[in-house]
mmCIF file with all atom_site columns, all heavy atoms in Angstrom:
data_model
loop_
_atom_site.group_PDB
_atom_site.id
_atom_site.type_symbol
_atom_site.label_atom_id
_atom_site.label_alt_id
_atom_site.label_comp_id
_atom_site.label_asym_id
_atom_site.label_entity_id
_atom_site.label_seq_id
_atom_site.pdbx_PDB_ins_code
_atom_site.Cartn_x
_atom_site.Cartn_y
_atom_site.Cartn_z
_atom_site.occupancy
_atom_site.B_iso_or_equiv
_atom_site.pdbx_formal_charge
_atom_site.auth_seq_id
_atom_site.auth_comp_id
_atom_site.auth_asym_id
_atom_site.auth_atom_id
_atom_site.pdbx_PDB_model_num
ATOM 1   N N   . TRP J 1 1  ? 3.766   8.209   3.162   1.00 98.00 ? 1430 TRP J N   1
ATOM 2   C CA  . TRP J 1 1  ? 2.487   8.660   3.724   1.00 98.00 ? 1430 TRP J CA  1
ATOM 3   C C   . TRP J 1 1  ? 1.919   7.563   4.627   1.00 98.00 ? 1430 TRP J C   1
ATOM 4   O O   . TRP J 1 1  ? 1.375   7.852   5.706   1.00 98.00 ? 1430 TRP J O   1
ATOM 5   C CB  . TRP J 1 1  ? 1.506   8.971   2.590   1.00 98.00 ? 1430 TRP J CB  1
ATOM 6   C CG  . TRP J 1 1  ? 0.147   9.402   3.065   1.00 98.00 ? 1430 TRP J CG  1
ATOM 7   C CD1 . TRP J 1 1  ? -0.280  10.675  3.281   1.00 98.00 ? 1430 TRP J CD1 1
ATOM 8   C CD2 . TRP J 1 1  ? -0.953  8.545   3.410   1.00 98.00 ? 1430 TRP J CD2 1
ATOM 9   N NE1 . TRP J 1 1  ? -1.582  10.661  3.739   1.00 98.00 ? 1430 TRP J NE1 1
ATOM 10  C CE2 . TRP J 1 1  ? -2.014  9.375   3.832   1.00 98.00 ? 1430 TRP J CE2 1
ATOM 11  C CE3 . TRP J 1 1  ? -1.143  7.163   3.411   1.00 98.00 ? 1430 TRP J CE3 1
ATOM 12  C CZ2 . TRP J 1 1  ? -3.250  8.864   4.235   1.00 98.00 ? 1430 TRP J CZ2 1
ATOM 13  C CZ3 . TRP J 1 1  ? -2.367  6.651   3.811   1.00 98.00 ? 1430 TRP J CZ3 1
ATOM 14  C CH2 . TRP J 1 1  ? -3.400  7.493   4.216   1.00 98.00 ? 1430 TRP J CH2 1
ATOM 15  N N   . THR J 1 2  ? 2.031   6.319   4.198   1.00 98.00 ? 1431 THR J N   1
ATOM 16  C CA  . THR J 1 2  ? 1.534   5.185   4.984   1.00 98.00 ? 1431 THR J CA  1
ATOM 17  C C   . THR J 1 2  ? 2.183   5.152   6.359   1.00 98.00 ? 1431 THR J C   1
ATOM 18  O O   . THR J 1 2  ? 1.520   4.958   7.382   1.00 98.00 ? 1431 THR J O   1
ATOM 19  C CB  . THR J 1 2  ? 1.811   3.871   4.229   1.00 98.00 ? 1431 THR J CB  1
ATOM 20  O OG1 . THR J 1 2  ? 1.145   3.910   2.963   1.00 98.00 ? 1431 THR J OG1 1
ATOM 21  C CG2 . THR J 1 2  ? 1.343   2.666   5.014   1.00 98.00 ? 1431 THR J CG2 1
ATOM 22  N N   . LYS J 1 3  ? 3.481   5.351   6.395   1.00 98.00 ? 1432 LYS J N   1
ATOM 23  C CA  . LYS J 1 3  ? 4.205   5.326   7.671   1.00 98.00 ? 1432 LYS J CA  1
ATOM 24  C C   . LYS J 1 3  ? 3.813   6.507   8.557   1.00 98.00 ? 1432 LYS J C   1
ATOM 25  O O   . LYS J 1 3  ? 3.660   6.358   9.778   1.00 98.00 ? 1432 LYS J O   1
ATOM 26  C CB  . LYS J 1 3  ? 5.709   5.330   7.409   1.00 98.00 ? 1432 LYS J CB  1
ATOM 27  C CG  . LYS J 1 3  ? 6.195   4.124   6.623   1.00 98.00 ? 1432 LYS J CG  1
ATOM 28  C CD  . LYS J 1 3  ? 7.666   4.256   6.263   1.00 98.00 ? 1432 LYS J CD  1
ATOM 29  C CE  . LYS J 1 3  ? 8.125   3.103   5.379   1.00 98.00 ? 1432 LYS J CE  1
ATOM 30  N NZ  . LYS J 1 3  ? 9.552   3.223   5.010   1.00 98.00 ? 1432 LYS J NZ  1
ATOM 31  N N   . MET J 1 4  ? 3.655   7.662   7.938   1.00 98.00 ? 1433 MET J N   1
ATOM 32  C CA  . MET J 1 4  ? 3.301   8.850   8.712   1.00 98.00 ? 1433 MET J CA  1
ATOM 33  C C   . MET J 1 4  ? 1.863   8.766   9.224   1.00 98.00 ? 1433 MET J C   1
ATOM 34  O O   . MET J 1 4  ? 1.586   9.091   10.385  1.00 98.00 ? 1433 MET J O   1
ATOM 35  C CB  . MET J 1 4  ? 3.476   10.101  7.841   1.00 98.00 ? 1433 MET J CB  1
ATOM 36  C CG  . MET J 1 4  ? 4.883   10.299  7.323   1.00 98.00 ? 1433 MET J CG  1
ATOM 37  S SD  . MET J 1 4  ? 6.090   10.600  8.630   1.00 98.00 ? 1433 MET J SD  1
ATOM 38  C CE  . MET J 1 4  ? 5.809   12.326  8.944   1.00 98.00 ? 1433 MET J CE  1
ATOM 39  N N   . ALA J 1 5  ? 0.951   8.321   8.374   1.00 98.00 ? 1434 ALA J N   1
ATOM 40  C CA  . ALA J 1 5  ? -0.443  8.192   8.789   1.00 98.00 ? 1434 ALA J CA  1
ATOM 41  C C   . ALA J 1 5  ? -0.593  7.179   9.913   1.00 98.00 ? 1434 ALA J C   1
ATOM 42  O O   . ALA J 1 5  ? -1.424  7.350   10.816  1.00 98.00 ? 1434 ALA J O   1
ATOM 43  C CB  . ALA J 1 5  ? -1.308  7.789   7.595   1.00 98.00 ? 1434 ALA J CB  1
ATOM 44  N N   . ALA J 1 6  ? 0.220   6.132   9.883   1.00 98.00 ? 1435 ALA J N   1
ATOM 45  C CA  . ALA J 1 6  ? 0.161   5.126   10.941  1.00 98.00 ? 1435 ALA J CA  1
ATOM 46  C C   . ALA J 1 6  ? 0.497   5.737   12.297  1.00 98.00 ? 1435 ALA J C   1
ATOM 47  O O   . ALA J 1 6  ? -0.106  5.374   13.319  1.00 98.00 ? 1435 ALA J O   1
ATOM 48  C CB  . ALA J 1 6  ? 1.122   3.979   10.630  1.00 98.00 ? 1435 ALA J CB  1
ATOM 49  N N   . GLN J 1 7  ? 1.433   6.661   12.313  1.00 98.00 ? 1436 GLN J N   1
ATOM 50  C CA  . GLN J 1 7  ? 1.779   7.329   13.566  1.00 98.00 ? 1436 GLN J CA  1
ATOM 51  C C   . GLN J 1 7  ? 0.635   8.227   14.034  1.00 98.00 ? 1436 GLN J C   1
ATOM 52  O O   . GLN J 1 7  ? 0.272   8.241   15.214  1.00 98.00 ? 1436 GLN J O   1
ATOM 53  C CB  . GLN J 1 7  ? 3.057   8.158   13.371  1.00 98.00 ? 1436 GLN J CB  1
ATOM 54  C CG  . GLN J 1 7  ? 4.292   7.335   13.086  1.00 98.00 ? 1436 GLN J CG  1
ATOM 55  C CD  . GLN J 1 7  ? 4.643   6.401   14.216  1.00 98.00 ? 1436 GLN J CD  1
ATOM 56  O OE1 . GLN J 1 7  ? 4.736   6.805   15.381  1.00 98.00 ? 1436 GLN J OE1 1
ATOM 57  N NE2 . GLN J 1 7  ? 4.840   5.130   13.902  1.00 98.00 ? 1436 GLN J NE2 1
ATOM 58  N N   . ASP J 1 8  ? 0.052   8.950   13.098  1.00 98.00 ? 1437 ASP J N   1
ATOM 59  C CA  . ASP J 1 8  ? -1.022  9.874   13.451  1.00 98.00 ? 1437 ASP J CA  1
ATOM 60  C C   . ASP J 1 8  ? -2.281  9.159   13.934  1.00 98.00 ? 1437 ASP J C   1
ATOM 61  O O   . ASP J 1 8  ? -3.013  9.686   14.787  1.00 98.00 ? 1437 ASP J O   1
ATOM 62  C CB  . ASP J 1 8  ? -1.388  10.743  12.245  1.00 98.00 ? 1437 ASP J CB  1
ATOM 63  C CG  . ASP J 1 8  ? -0.359  11.825  11.972  1.00 98.00 ? 1437 ASP J CG  1
ATOM 64  O OD1 . ASP J 1 8  ? 0.325   12.247  12.922  1.00 98.00 ? 1437 ASP J OD1 1
ATOM 65  O OD2 . ASP J 1 8  ? -0.241  12.241  10.809  1.00 98.00 ? 1437 ASP J OD2 1
ATOM 66  N N   . LEU J 1 9  ? -2.554  7.978   13.403  1.00 97.00 ? 1438 LEU J N   1
ATOM 67  C CA  . LEU J 1 9  ? -3.823  7.305   13.677  1.00 97.00 ? 1438 LEU J CA  1
ATOM 68  C C   . LEU J 1 9  ? -3.724  6.192   14.714  1.00 97.00 ? 1438 LEU J C   1
ATOM 69  O O   . LEU J 1 9  ? -4.744  5.617   15.095  1.00 97.00 ? 1438 LEU J O   1
ATOM 70  C CB  . LEU J 1 9  ? -4.416  6.751   12.378  1.00 97.00 ? 1438 LEU J CB  1
ATOM 71  C CG  . LEU J 1 9  ? -4.687  7.808   11.298  1.00 97.00 ? 1438 LEU J CG  1
ATOM 72  C CD1 . LEU J 1 9  ? -5.272  7.160   10.049  1.00 97.00 ? 1438 LEU J CD1 1
ATOM 73  C CD2 . LEU J 1 9  ? -5.615  8.904   11.811  1.00 97.00 ? 1438 LEU J CD2 1
ATOM 74  N N   . SER J 1 10 ? -2.523  5.861   15.155  1.00 95.00 ? 1439 SER J N   1
ATOM 75  C CA  . SER J 1 10 ? -2.385  4.835   16.192  1.00 95.00 ? 1439 SER J CA  1
ATOM 76  C C   . SER J 1 10 ? -2.867  5.392   17.535  1.00 95.00 ? 1439 SER J C   1
ATOM 77  O O   . SER J 1 10 ? -2.851  6.607   17.740  1.00 95.00 ? 1439 SER J O   1
ATOM 78  C CB  . SER J 1 10 ? -0.930  4.394   16.297  1.00 95.00 ? 1439 SER J CB  1
ATOM 79  O OG  . SER J 1 10 ? -0.107  5.484   16.723  1.00 95.00 ? 1439 SER J OG  1
ATOM 80  N N   . PRO J 1 11 ? -3.325  4.541   18.460  1.00 93.00 ? 1440 PRO J N   1
ATOM 81  C CA  . PRO J 1 11 ? -3.362  3.080   18.360  1.00 93.00 ? 1440 PRO J CA  1
ATOM 82  C C   . PRO J 1 11 ? -4.686  2.519   17.831  1.00 93.00 ? 1440 PRO J C   1
ATOM 83  O O   . PRO J 1 11 ? -4.815  1.310   17.682  1.00 93.00 ? 1440 PRO J O   1
ATOM 84  C CB  . PRO J 1 11 ? -3.182  2.660   19.811  1.00 93.00 ? 1440 PRO J CB  1
ATOM 85  C CG  . PRO J 1 11 ? -3.920  3.716   20.578  1.00 93.00 ? 1440 PRO J CG  1
ATOM 86  C CD  . PRO J 1 11 ? -3.670  5.004   19.822  1.00 93.00 ? 1440 PRO J CD  1
ATOM 87  N N   . ARG J 1 12 ? -5.650  3.379   17.528  1.00 93.00 ? 1441 ARG J N   1
ATOM 88  C CA  . ARG J 1 12 ? -6.989  2.839   17.250  1.00 93.00 ? 1441 ARG J CA  1
ATOM 89  C C   . ARG J 1 12 ? -7.215  2.439   15.797  1.00 93.00 ? 1441 ARG J C   1
ATOM 90  O O   . ARG J 1 12 ? -8.129  1.681   15.501  1.00 93.00 ? 1441 ARG J O   1
ATOM 91  C CB  . ARG J 1 12 ? -8.050  3.834   17.717  1.00 93.00 ? 1441 ARG J CB  1
ATOM 92  C CG  . ARG J 1 12 ? -8.034  4.041   19.235  1.00 93.00 ? 1441 ARG J CG  1
ATOM 93  C CD  . ARG J 1 12 ? -9.330  4.582   19.742  1.00 93.00 ? 1441 ARG J CD  1
ATOM 94  N NE  . ARG J 1 12 ? -9.546  5.963   19.329  1.00 93.00 ? 1441 ARG J NE  1
ATOM 95  C CZ  . ARG J 1 12 ? -10.702 6.615   19.496  1.00 93.00 ? 1441 ARG J CZ  1
ATOM 96  N NH1 . ARG J 1 12 ? -11.734 5.991   20.040  1.00 93.00 ? 1441 ARG J NH1 1
ATOM 97  N NH2 . ARG J 1 12 ? -10.821 7.863   19.115  1.00 93.00 ? 1441 ARG J NH2 1
ATOM 98  N N   . ILE J 1 13 ? -6.389  2.949   14.897  1.00 96.00 ? 1442 ILE J N   1
ATOM 99  C CA  . ILE J 1 13 ? -6.495  2.568   13.484  1.00 96.00 ? 1442 ILE J CA  1
ATOM 100 C C   . ILE J 1 13 ? -5.112  2.203   12.981  1.00 96.00 ? 1442 ILE J C   1
ATOM 101 O O   . ILE J 1 13 ? -4.165  2.980   13.146  1.00 96.00 ? 1442 ILE J O   1
ATOM 102 C CB  . ILE J 1 13 ? -7.080  3.717   12.637  1.00 96.00 ? 1442 ILE J CB  1
ATOM 103 C CG1 . ILE J 1 13 ? -8.489  4.073   13.110  1.00 96.00 ? 1442 ILE J CG1 1
ATOM 104 C CG2 . ILE J 1 13 ? -7.087  3.339   11.151  1.00 96.00 ? 1442 ILE J CG2 1
ATOM 105 C CD1 . ILE J 1 13 ? -9.045  5.331   12.481  1.00 96.00 ? 1442 ILE J CD1 1
ATOM 106 N N   . ARG J 1 14 ? -4.996  1.034   12.374  1.00 97.00 ? 1443 ARG J N   1
ATOM 107 C CA  . ARG J 1 14 ? -3.720  0.606   11.817  1.00 97.00 ? 1443 ARG J CA  1
ATOM 108 C C   . ARG J 1 14 ? -3.637  1.016   10.348  1.00 97.00 ? 1443 ARG J C   1
ATOM 109 O O   . ARG J 1 14 ? -4.632  0.967   9.629   1.00 97.00 ? 1443 ARG J O   1
ATOM 110 C CB  . ARG J 1 14 ? -3.554  -0.913  11.934  1.00 97.00 ? 1443 ARG J CB  1
ATOM 111 C CG  . ARG J 1 14 ? -3.525  -1.404  13.374  1.00 97.00 ? 1443 ARG J CG  1
ATOM 112 C CD  . ARG J 1 14 ? -3.259  -2.901  13.481  1.00 97.00 ? 1443 ARG J CD  1
ATOM 113 N NE  . ARG J 1 14 ? -4.271  -3.688  12.796  1.00 97.00 ? 1443 ARG J NE  1
ATOM 114 C CZ  . ARG J 1 14 ? -4.089  -4.350  11.656  1.00 97.00 ? 1443 ARG J CZ  1
ATOM 115 N NH1 . ARG J 1 14 ? -2.911  -4.312  11.038  1.00 97.00 ? 1443 ARG J NH1 1
ATOM 116 N NH2 . ARG J 1 14 ? -5.066  -5.063  11.115  1.00 97.00 ? 1443 ARG J NH2 1
ATOM 117 N N   . VAL J 1 15 ? -2.451  1.415   9.904   1.00 98.00 ? 1444 VAL J N   1
ATOM 118 C CA  . VAL J 1 15 ? -2.237  1.802   8.505   1.00 98.00 ? 1444 VAL J CA  1
ATOM 119 C C   . VAL J 1 15 ? -0.995  1.076   7.994   1.00 98.00 ? 1444 VAL J C   1
ATOM 120 O O   . VAL J 1 15 ? 0.104   1.253   8.537   1.00 98.00 ? 1444 VAL J O   1
ATOM 121 C CB  . VAL J 1 15 ? -2.042  3.325   8.354   1.00 98.00 ? 1444 VAL J CB  1
ATOM 122 C CG1 . VAL J 1 15 ? -1.976  3.698   6.867   1.00 98.00 ? 1444 VAL J CG1 1
ATOM 123 C CG2 . VAL J 1 15 ? -3.157  4.094   9.049   1.00 98.00 ? 1444 VAL J CG2 1
ATOM 124 N N   . ASN J 1 16 ? -1.175  0.266   6.981   1.00 98.00 ? 1445 ASN J N   1
ATOM 125 C CA  . ASN J 1 16 ? -0.073  -0.487  6.383   1.00 98.00 ? 1445 ASN J CA  1
ATOM 126 C C   . ASN J 1 16 ? -0.203  -0.448  4.871   1.00 98.00 ? 1445 ASN J C   1
ATOM 127 O O   . ASN J 1 16 ? -1.196  0.046   4.328   1.00 98.00 ? 1445 ASN J O   1
ATOM 128 C CB  . ASN J 1 16 ? -0.090  -1.938  6.873   1.00 98.00 ? 1445 ASN J CB  1
ATOM 129 C CG  . ASN J 1 16 ? 0.198   -2.054  8.356   1.00 98.00 ? 1445 ASN J CG  1
ATOM 130 O OD1 . ASN J 1 16 ? 1.323   -1.863  8.806   1.00 98.00 ? 1445 ASN J OD1 1
ATOM 131 N ND2 . ASN J 1 16 ? -0.834  -2.369  9.133   1.00 98.00 ? 1445 ASN J ND2 1
ATOM 132 N N   . GLY J 1 17 ? 0.783   -0.989  4.178   1.00 98.00 ? 1446 GLY J N   1
ATOM 133 C CA  . GLY J 1 17 ? 0.737   -0.974  2.723   1.00 98.00 ? 1446 GLY J CA  1
ATOM 134 C C   . GLY J 1 17 ? 1.476   -2.140  2.111   1.00 98.00 ? 1446 GLY J C   1
ATOM 135 O O   . GLY J 1 17 ? 2.048   -2.984  2.806   1.00 98.00 ? 1446 GLY J O   1
ATOM 136 N N   . ILE J 1 18 ? 1.462   -2.166  0.794   1.00 98.00 ? 1447 ILE J N   1
ATOM 137 C CA  . ILE J 1 18 ? 2.124   -3.225  0.036   1.00 98.00 ? 1447 ILE J CA  1
ATOM 138 C C   . ILE J 1 18 ? 2.929   -2.611  -1.103  1.00 98.00 ? 1447 ILE J C   1
ATOM 139 O O   . ILE J 1 18 ? 2.417   -1.782  -1.863  1.00 98.00 ? 1447 ILE J O   1
ATOM 140 C CB  . ILE J 1 18 ? 1.099   -4.222  -0.541  1.00 98.00 ? 1447 ILE J CB  1
ATOM 141 C CG1 . ILE J 1 18 ? 0.323   -4.909  0.593   1.00 98.00 ? 1447 ILE J CG1 1
ATOM 142 C CG2 . ILE J 1 18 ? 1.793   -5.270  -1.417  1.00 98.00 ? 1447 ILE J CG2 1
ATOM 143 C CD1 . ILE J 1 18 ? -0.790  -5.823  0.104   1.00 98.00 ? 1447 ILE J CD1 1
ATOM 144 N N   . TYR J 1 19 ? 4.204   -3.016  -1.199  1.00 98.00 ? 1448 TYR J N   1
ATOM 145 C CA  . TYR J 1 19 ? 4.996   -2.736  -2.384  1.00 98.00 ? 1448 TYR J CA  1
ATOM 146 C C   . TYR J 1 19 ? 4.681   -3.849  -3.388  1.00 98.00 ? 1448 TYR J C   1
ATOM 147 O O   . TYR J 1 19 ? 5.112   -4.983  -3.214  1.00 98.00 ? 1448 TYR J O   1
ATOM 148 C CB  . TYR J 1 19 ? 6.491   -2.760  -2.067  1.00 98.00 ? 1448 TYR J CB  1
ATOM 149 C CG  . TYR J 1 19 ? 7.031   -1.564  -1.313  1.00 98.00 ? 1448 TYR J CG  1
ATOM 150 C CD1 . TYR J 1 19 ? 7.667   -1.727  -0.085  1.00 98.00 ? 1448 TYR J CD1 1
ATOM 151 C CD2 . TYR J 1 19 ? 6.966   -0.281  -1.859  1.00 98.00 ? 1448 TYR J CD2 1
ATOM 152 C CE1 . TYR J 1 19 ? 8.214   -0.644  0.589   1.00 98.00 ? 1448 TYR J CE1 1
ATOM 153 C CE2 . TYR J 1 19 ? 7.504   0.812   -1.183  1.00 98.00 ? 1448 TYR J CE2 1
ATOM 154 C CZ  . TYR J 1 19 ? 8.131   0.618   0.038   1.00 98.00 ? 1448 TYR J CZ  1
ATOM 155 O OH  . TYR J 1 19 ? 8.663   1.697   0.697   1.00 98.00 ? 1448 TYR J OH  1
ATOM 156 N N   . VAL J 1 20 ? 3.945   -3.515  -4.417  1.00 96.00 ? 1449 VAL J N   1
ATOM 157 C CA  . VAL J 1 20 ? 3.492   -4.515  -5.384  1.00 96.00 ? 1449 VAL J CA  1
ATOM 158 C C   . VAL J 1 20 ? 4.524   -4.683  -6.497  1.00 96.00 ? 1449 VAL J C   1
ATOM 159 O O   . VAL J 1 20 ? 4.996   -3.705  -7.078  1.00 96.00 ? 1449 VAL J O   1
ATOM 160 C CB  . VAL J 1 20 ? 2.141   -4.101  -5.987  1.00 96.00 ? 1449 VAL J CB  1
ATOM 161 C CG1 . VAL J 1 20 ? 1.723   -5.059  -7.096  1.00 96.00 ? 1449 VAL J CG1 1
ATOM 162 C CG2 . VAL J 1 20 ? 1.081   -4.049  -4.895  1.00 96.00 ? 1449 VAL J CG2 1
ATOM 163 N N   . GLY J 1 21 ? 4.856   -5.928  -6.801  1.00 93.00 ? 1450 GLY J N   1
ATOM 164 C CA  . GLY J 1 21 ? 5.753   -6.219  -7.911  1.00 93.00 ? 1450 GLY J CA  1
ATOM 165 C C   . GLY J 1 21 ? 4.980   -6.423  -9.197  1.00 93.00 ? 1450 GLY J C   1
ATOM 166 O O   . GLY J 1 21 ? 3.880   -5.891  -9.384  1.00 93.00 ? 1450 GLY J O   1
ATOM 167 N N   . SER J 1 22 ? 5.532   -7.202  -10.112 1.00 91.00 ? 1451 SER J N   1
ATOM 168 C CA  . SER J 1 22 ? 4.898   -7.447  -11.411 1.00 91.00 ? 1451 SER J CA  1
ATOM 169 C C   . SER J 1 22 ? 3.769   -8.457  -11.248 1.00 91.00 ? 1451 SER J C   1
ATOM 170 O O   . SER J 1 22 ? 4.010   -9.627  -10.953 1.00 91.00 ? 1451 SER J O   1
ATOM 171 C CB  . SER J 1 22 ? 5.934   -7.982  -12.399 1.00 91.00 ? 1451 SER J CB  1
ATOM 172 O OG  . SER J 1 22 ? 6.976   -7.039  -12.578 1.00 91.00 ? 1451 SER J OG  1
ATOM 173 N N   . ILE J 1 23 ? 2.542   -7.989  -11.439 1.00 92.00 ? 1452 ILE J N   1
ATOM 174 C CA  . ILE J 1 23 ? 1.356   -8.822  -11.270 1.00 92.00 ? 1452 ILE J CA  1
ATOM 175 C C   . ILE J 1 23 ? 0.611   -8.882  -12.608 1.00 92.00 ? 1452 ILE J C   1
ATOM 176 O O   . ILE J 1 23 ? 0.484   -7.875  -13.304 1.00 92.00 ? 1452 ILE J O   1
ATOM 177 C CB  . ILE J 1 23 ? 0.427   -8.246  -10.184 1.00 92.00 ? 1452 ILE J CB  1
ATOM 178 C CG1 . ILE J 1 23 ? 1.194   -8.066  -8.853  1.00 92.00 ? 1452 ILE J CG1 1
ATOM 179 C CG2 . ILE J 1 23 ? -0.785  -9.146  -9.986  1.00 92.00 ? 1452 ILE J CG2 1
ATOM 180 C CD1 . ILE J 1 23 ? 1.690   -9.349  -8.227  1.00 92.00 ? 1452 ILE J CD1 1
ATOM 181 N N   . MET J 1 24 ? 0.110   -10.051 -12.950 1.00 90.00 ? 1453 MET J N   1
ATOM 182 C CA  . MET J 1 24 ? -0.556  -10.227 -14.233 1.00 90.00 ? 1453 MET J CA  1
ATOM 183 C C   . MET J 1 24 ? -1.949  -9.590  -14.212 1.00 90.00 ? 1453 MET J C   1
ATOM 184 O O   . MET J 1 24 ? -2.955  -10.231 -13.895 1.00 90.00 ? 1453 MET J O   1
ATOM 185 C CB  . MET J 1 24 ? -0.660  -11.710 -14.585 1.00 90.00 ? 1453 MET J CB  1
ATOM 186 C CG  . MET J 1 24 ? -1.162  -11.946 -16.002 1.00 90.00 ? 1453 MET J CG  1
ATOM 187 S SD  . MET J 1 24 ? -0.267  -11.001 -17.268 1.00 90.00 ? 1453 MET J SD  1
ATOM 188 C CE  . MET J 1 24 ? 1.335   -11.813 -17.200 1.00 90.00 ? 1453 MET J CE  1
ATOM 189 N N   . THR J 1 25 ? -1.970  -8.308  -14.521 1.00 89.00 ? 1454 THR J N   1
ATOM 190 C CA  . THR J 1 25 ? -3.213  -7.558  -14.669 1.00 89.00 ? 1454 THR J CA  1
ATOM 191 C C   . THR J 1 25 ? -3.204  -6.915  -16.054 1.00 89.00 ? 1454 THR J C   1
ATOM 192 O O   . THR J 1 25 ? -2.283  -7.120  -16.848 1.00 89.00 ? 1454 THR J O   1
ATOM 193 C CB  . THR J 1 25 ? -3.337  -6.467  -13.598 1.00 89.00 ? 1454 THR J CB  1
ATOM 194 O OG1 . THR J 1 25 ? -2.293  -5.495  -13.799 1.00 89.00 ? 1454 THR J OG1 1
ATOM 195 C CG2 . THR J 1 25 ? -3.205  -7.051  -12.192 1.00 89.00 ? 1454 THR J CG2 1
ATOM 196 N N   . SER J 1 26 ? -4.197  -6.092  -16.334 1.00 81.00 ? 1455 SER J N   1
ATOM 197 C CA  . SER J 1 26 ? -4.272  -5.433  -17.638 1.00 81.00 ? 1455 SER J CA  1
ATOM 198 C C   . SER J 1 26 ? -3.055  -4.551  -17.898 1.00 81.00 ? 1455 SER J C   1
ATOM 199 O O   . SER J 1 26 ? -2.696  -4.294  -19.048 1.00 81.00 ? 1455 SER J O   1
ATOM 200 C CB  . SER J 1 26 ? -5.553  -4.604  -17.738 1.00 81.00 ? 1455 SER J CB  1
ATOM 201 O OG  . SER J 1 26 ? -5.594  -3.627  -16.708 1.00 81.00 ? 1455 SER J OG  1
ATOM 202 N N   . ALA J 1 27 ? -2.405  -4.087  -16.827 1.00 79.00 ? 1456 ALA J N   1
ATOM 203 C CA  . ALA J 1 27 ? -1.225  -3.244  -16.985 1.00 79.00 ? 1456 ALA J CA  1
ATOM 204 C C   . ALA J 1 27 ? -0.077  -3.989  -17.656 1.00 79.00 ? 1456 ALA J C   1
ATOM 205 O O   . ALA J 1 27 ? 0.824   -3.368  -18.228 1.00 79.00 ? 1456 ALA J O   1
ATOM 206 C CB  . ALA J 1 27 ? -0.784  -2.710  -15.627 1.00 79.00 ? 1456 ALA J CB  1
ATOM 207 N N   . LEU J 1 28 ? -0.107  -5.318  -17.603 1.00 81.00 ? 1457 LEU J N   1
ATOM 208 C CA  . LEU J 1 28 ? 0.959   -6.120  -18.200 1.00 81.00 ? 1457 LEU J CA  1
ATOM 209 C C   . LEU J 1 28 ? 0.539   -6.807  -19.498 1.00 81.00 ? 1457 LEU J C   1
ATOM 210 O O   . LEU J 1 28 ? 1.265   -7.670  -20.000 1.00 81.00 ? 1457 LEU J O   1
ATOM 211 C CB  . LEU J 1 28 ? 1.445   -7.186  -17.208 1.00 81.00 ? 1457 LEU J CB  1
ATOM 212 C CG  . LEU J 1 28 ? 2.434   -6.748  -16.125 1.00 81.00 ? 1457 LEU J CG  1
ATOM 213 C CD1 . LEU J 1 28 ? 2.876   -7.948  -15.305 1.00 81.00 ? 1457 LEU J CD1 1
ATOM 214 C CD2 . LEU J 1 28 ? 3.653   -6.042  -16.714 1.00 81.00 ? 1457 LEU J CD2 1
ATOM 215 N N   . GLU J 1 29 ? -0.616  -6.433  -20.024 1.00 79.00 ? 1458 GLU J N   1
ATOM 216 C CA  . GLU J 1 29 ? -1.103  -7.092  -21.233 1.00 79.00 ? 1458 GLU J CA  1
ATOM 217 C C   . GLU J 1 29 ? -0.115  -6.964  -22.393 1.00 79.00 ? 1458 GLU J C   1
ATOM 218 O O   . GLU J 1 29 ? 0.143   -7.931  -23.128 1.00 79.00 ? 1458 GLU J O   1
ATOM 219 C CB  . GLU J 1 29 ? -2.456  -6.514  -21.637 1.00 79.00 ? 1458 GLU J CB  1
ATOM 220 C CG  . GLU J 1 29 ? -3.610  -7.004  -20.761 1.00 79.00 ? 1458 GLU J CG  1
ATOM 221 C CD  . GLU J 1 29 ? -4.932  -6.366  -21.139 1.00 79.00 ? 1458 GLU J CD  1
ATOM 222 O OE1 . GLU J 1 29 ? -4.914  -5.445  -21.999 1.00 79.00 ? 1458 GLU J OE1 1
ATOM 223 O OE2 . GLU J 1 29 ? -5.971  -6.765  -20.585 1.00 79.00 ? 1458 GLU J OE2 1
ATOM 224 N N   . MET J 1 30 ? 0.456   -5.787  -22.577 1.00 77.00 ? 1459 MET J N   1
ATOM 225 C CA  . MET J 1 30 ? 1.407   -5.578  -23.663 1.00 77.00 ? 1459 MET J CA  1
ATOM 226 C C   . MET J 1 30 ? 2.644   -6.458  -23.480 1.00 77.00 ? 1459 MET J C   1
ATOM 227 O O   . MET J 1 30 ? 3.137   -7.070  -24.422 1.00 77.00 ? 1459 MET J O   1
ATOM 228 C CB  . MET J 1 30 ? 1.819   -4.108  -23.742 1.00 77.00 ? 1459 MET J CB  1
ATOM 229 C CG  . MET J 1 30 ? 2.796   -3.803  -24.870 1.00 77.00 ? 1459 MET J CG  1
ATOM 230 S SD  . MET J 1 30 ? 3.423   -2.113  -24.822 1.00 77.00 ? 1459 MET J SD  1
ATOM 231 C CE  . MET J 1 30 ? 4.548   -2.218  -23.421 1.00 77.00 ? 1459 MET J CE  1
ATOM 232 N N   . VAL J 1 31 ? 3.103   -6.531  -22.247 1.00 82.00 ? 1460 VAL J N   1
ATOM 233 C CA  . VAL J 1 31 ? 4.280   -7.349  -21.948 1.00 82.00 ? 1460 VAL J CA  1
ATOM 234 C C   . VAL J 1 31 ? 3.960   -8.827  -22.137 1.00 82.00 ? 1460 VAL J C   1
ATOM 235 O O   . VAL J 1 31 ? 4.748   -9.586  -22.703 1.00 82.00 ? 1460 VAL J O   1
ATOM 236 C CB  . VAL J 1 31 ? 4.765   -7.078  -20.510 1.00 82.00 ? 1460 VAL J CB  1
ATOM 237 C CG1 . VAL J 1 31 ? 5.917   -8.017  -20.146 1.00 82.00 ? 1460 VAL J CG1 1
ATOM 238 C CG2 . VAL J 1 31 ? 5.194   -5.623  -20.361 1.00 82.00 ? 1460 VAL J CG2 1
ATOM 239 N N   . ALA J 1 32 ? 2.791   -9.239  -21.664 1.00 80.00 ? 1461 ALA J N   1
ATOM 240 C CA  . ALA J 1 32 ? 2.415   -10.651 -21.751 1.00 80.00 ? 1461 ALA J CA  1
ATOM 241 C C   . ALA J 1 32 ? 2.332   -11.125 -23.198 1.00 80.00 ? 1461 ALA J C   1
ATOM 242 O O   . ALA J 1 32 ? 2.565   -12.309 -23.488 1.00 80.00 ? 1461 ALA J O   1
ATOM 243 C CB  . ALA J 1 32 ? 1.077   -10.880 -21.048 1.00 80.00 ? 1461 ALA J CB  1
#
């Protein structure tokens, strides 16, 4: 969706994203 929206909204609005890895948040409390 990020890639497609970037095409639709260019050039005046940029759309990018992040592939997030393992980050120490509450989601990892059990693992930690």
